[in-house]
Structures are given as C-alpha cells and as structure tokens.
Amino acid sequence: MASIVNKNEVYTGQVIDFTHEGHGVVKFDRYPIFVPNAIKDEEIEFRVIKVKKQFAIGKLLTIKETSNERVEPPCEYYKVCGGCQLQHLSYEAQLQMKKEQVVNLFKRKSNFEDTVIHDTIGMENPWHYRNKSQIPVGKNKHGEIELGFYRQRSHDIVNIDHCMIQDKKHDTIMVKIKRLIEDLNLSIYNEHKHKGELRHIILRTGYYTGETMVIFVTNSKQLSHKNKIIEFISSEFDNVVSIKHNVNREKSNVIMGRTSYTLYGQDTITDQLAEYQFKISDTSFYQINPTQTEKLYSKALEYAQLNGEETVIDAYCGIGTIGSYMSQKAKHVYGVEIVEQAIENAKENAKINHIENATWEAGKAEEVILKWQKEGIKPEVVMVDPPRKGCDQTFIETLIELSPKRIVYISCNPATQVRDVEILKGSGYQLKEITPVDMFPHTTHVETVALIEKISE
C-alpha cells in the first residue's frame, strides 16, 4: 500500500476530511495522506515528506482551489508556534469540525447510533480566553533569552511578545519579566544538560477579579535575586497579588514540581464562576476558559436533572467547582479528589460560598466511594470529570457497582470517554446525549459533556 506515493514527490489531490489533529486528509485508492494546514474541500498540491505503511504525511505547497472557510491567521507567530493549530480555519468551521470529531468517535467508530450529538457550543469572542499561561524560558544559540511557546512537536522555543489566546495582561507581564531576567542575568535551565536555574514562568489570572499570580519554576531550591524580583513585580503590576517559587528538580517534561513557596502576597488568587467564588492555588486544577466553563457546567447541571432530593457524588472534584454548581439543586454533594491540597481548597471554597450541603474527602475515588457506600450513601447522580487518560478501570467497576440512575461525564479527551462509556453500556447504561463545548478555540481540543442513564430493569 505504501508504494502508492513516494517520499519527496509532488502530488495533487482533493482534501476530503480532517484528522483529529486538524490536518487535511487526501486519499489515493483509500491510502490516506495527512497534510497540515489543508482544509476540507480544497484542491491542493503537496510534497510527501514521510511514508508509512498505513499513511503518509504531506507538506502543503499550493492551494489550487481554496475553501470558503479559509481565513488569514491574525497571529504573526501562527506558522511557527505550536500553541494553536486552527487559526487558518473560520471559527464556524472549527466548531463544526469539533462536532464531527465527536460524531466520528461515537457513531462511526463505536456503536452509539441512537445518541443525540448536539452542535458545539462556541464563544462569542474566541480570543484572549486563557487564564493560565505556562511559558518556557530558554536561550538561543546566540545566548539571548527566549520566552514563548514551543514549536509544534519540538522543545524549540518560539520567542514571542504577545499571544492571541492568552489573557492580555499576561502579554505585558511576560515582556517585562523577560527584560528583568536579562537585567539580572538569571541562570537559565538547559534541559539537555539538566543544569541552570529558571525553567518556566507561569501566570494565572482570575478572569472576573483580575487578580494575578506569578510563579517562577526553578531547577534549584533557591531563587536568585529573589528580593529584586519581588520588588520589581510588586511595584510594576497592581494586579499581581501573589508571587510564588516552585521547585522542580526532575529531569522530565512535567512543568511544576511538588514544592512551592509564597514569596509575596497571598497563597491563592480568587475568581468567580456564576455566583460562586473560588480560591485557586498554584497547583490547583481550574478550567482555562472561564466563560465557556459556565456554559459547560450549566449543561452538566441540566443533564443531572436535580430537583433537590438527590444525593450527588462528584468524583475527580478538584477544588469543588462543579460540585458547588450541583449543590444549589441537590440534597447533598459528596466530592472526592486524590490531591489533598485541592480538597483543602474545596472545603475553603464551600465556606466562602456558604455551601452547607457538601462533604469533601481526599483519596482515590474508587476507595472513598466504596467507604461511603458502606456508610449508607446511595447517589442518584454521579458526576465525573477525569484527566485526559479517562476513568481508572477500578473506578469504572466501582461506579457500576454503585449503580446510580444518571452519570454526567465531562471529558477533555473524547477518545478515552468513548472507551469508558462502552464499558458502562455493557453494564446496563445508555448514552443519551452529548454536547461538545469549545473550551480551547483555535486548537484541536474539544471538551464534551455526556448524559448516561441506567436502563430500567
């Protein structure tokens, strides 16, 4: 099959579909060639740069017939930066593409023909939505400081001074911190040699409050010129209410280490979702896109179908955001999360929001839920929002044993969600409907919220 195309040769073809990474798909006799930056329905000329047994990779050379959905990317770094993948595609087409990804996974590759899949919920203004920026620090071959984001599929830093999808306040802070690093001649981490000090700058901002946290991630227990850094940032930015030092001495791609110190101001920042306030620490999981989070949680609350009499278990509850939403219409919410700091935040957030019908406990979800079951806690609704790898196998088995009437499953990775839902389907559950939500415009990521119901015996 691979002999259909040859490496380095130029071909012309019609783009018939998108991959889950947003690449255009051209097929020659059912053999697919994936071409980045090509758009469905375009006729293109491309060079084959990689040939595998099952597929090939092409490089776009010329667009012979342009799609009506092609737009000019507004970001000057777009062609080299790996932060966004879809700026060349109209926003309406991005939303449709993300729905098609979900349809493809659940209806074409899996047997969920009866499931209703709704249109993707998008943003009115899909720019500058990220409330968290994780900015690697490096040096180029000339010894000049670089701050920015990685090129696609590499650890080469694209040096930038603004980003179209991060909070605008982060642009200003990023540029001034870069000058500060240069002025202080701070030691920069080299990941190949595992030497040097400063690895990342992380910025977190409360969308509604404007409060900002600046985190310096280092390969050392000490932060050089700490006092000068604190003095500069605190005097330069009124909105910075917290400066933290995070220590990461591991030789890995994990950005943050386990140990953090507050150098200045508060231990946390505060933000708001609907009428609820939340304290967010440097290591807390908190949704990146607050305006879309409100839409996502509202849909989850709708799917939960609460009337005030239900017991709800919120597995993977984090700092208690979705559990707080559920508490307004539930009899009682039980939240479980493996990260102890997150549970401490959840308890504090419950106090701030005067939520008295919620219990929060740290531990493995499957273990804590079985303990609750022995205590006589029987949930009508279970809310799950796992990491990208999906639900733990043991947790799924525990969930089946618990046998709730409804499961509301939020996922940032529909590929693992469909795997988990197939297991539930084999144990007496029906996937009723799914709503995709665009939490990350101009990237290929799509979030989904699914309603799963127990079939009446």
Side-chain angles (χ1 to χ4, degrees), residues 153-332:
R153 293 188 176 85
S154 85
H155 269 214
D156 297 333
I157 296 172
V158 177
N159 195 35
I160 69 171
D161 59 19
H162 65 272
C163 172
M164 296 291 295
I165 63 171
Q166 77 179 4
D167 190 303
K168 287 182 179 179
K169 290 187 281 294
H170 293 186
D171 293 342
T172 307
I173 296 171
M174 181 176 69
V175 169
K176 291 193 175 182
I177 284 181
K178 180 184 174 186
R179 290 189 196 134
L180 177 67
I181 293 168
E182 291 169 339
D183 291 343
L184 296 176
N185 194 25
L186 290 178
S187 166
I188 306 302
Y189 178 69
N190 182 310
E191 67 177 5
H192 301 295
K193 297 178 181 178
H194 192 49
K195 290 182 178 179
E197 186 175 318
L198 188 59
R199 299 175 72 137
H200 274 80
I201 304 293
I202 300 174
L203 308 174
R204 300 192 79 157
T205 292
Y207 179 80
Y208 290 101
T209 63
E211 293 184 358
T212 296
M213 175 185 288
V214 180
I215 307 159
F216 290 83
V217 183
T218 69
N219 183 44
S220 55
K221 290 183 179 179
Q222 303 299 322
L223 176 62
S224 300
H225 302 292
K226 177 177 70 176
N227 293 334
K228 289 182 180 179
I229 290 170
I230 293 168
E231 182 184 351
F232 175 82
I233 293 175
S234 60
S235 62
E236 197 77 18
F237 306 107
D238 293 338
N239 58 305
V240 173
V241 299
S242 177
I243 302 174
K244 305 202 82 162
H245 173 210
N246 177 268
V247 179
N248 180 8
R249 307 198 73 179
E250 298 296 318
K251 194 173 184 179
S252 75
N253 292 333
V254 176
I255 292 173
M256 292 186 72
R258 295 179 182 178
T259 307
S260 289
Y261 307 96
T262 301
L263 303 179
Y264 166 85
Q266 304 164 184
D267 293 331
T268 59
I269 58 171
T270 304
D271 201 15
Q272 190 166 327
L273 288 174
E275 66 267 38
Y276 300 104
Q277 286 196 331
F278 297 99
K279 285 190 177 292
I280 307 155
S281 68
D282 54 324
T283 55
S284 297
F285 171 76
Y286 186 72
Q287 292 280 5
I288 291 291
N289 187 333
T291 56
Q292 290 298 90
T293 300
E294 291 186 3
K295 297 174 188 176
L296 178 74
Y297 287 1
S298 294
K299 182 57 70 173
L301 188 58
E302 175 193 321
Y303 281 174
Q305 301 168 42
L306 304 176
N307 60 23
E309 297 301 315
E310 293 86 359
T311 297
V312 177
I313 286 182
D314 177 12
Y316 310 95
C317 71
I319 62 171
T321 47
I322 187 68
S324 298
Y325 262 68
M326 296 284 174
S327 70
Q328 62 185 299
K329 292 191 176 182
K331 182 180 179 182
H332 200 95

Side-chain angles (χ1 to χ4, degrees), residues 7 19 45 47 72 76 81 100 111 136 138 148 176 238 249 281 307 328 341 358 395 428:
K7 187 176 178 180
T19 69
E45 187 178 69
R47 175 179 285 109
E72 186 62 31
E76 64 186 279
C81 179
E100 283 298 314
N111 189 24
K176 291 193 175 182
D238 293 338
R249 307 198 73 179
S281 68
N307 60 23
Q328 62 185 299
Q341 178 62 51
F395 172 75

Side-chain angles (χ1 to χ4, degrees), residues 50 137 206 298:
K50 187 180 287 186
V137 184
S298 294

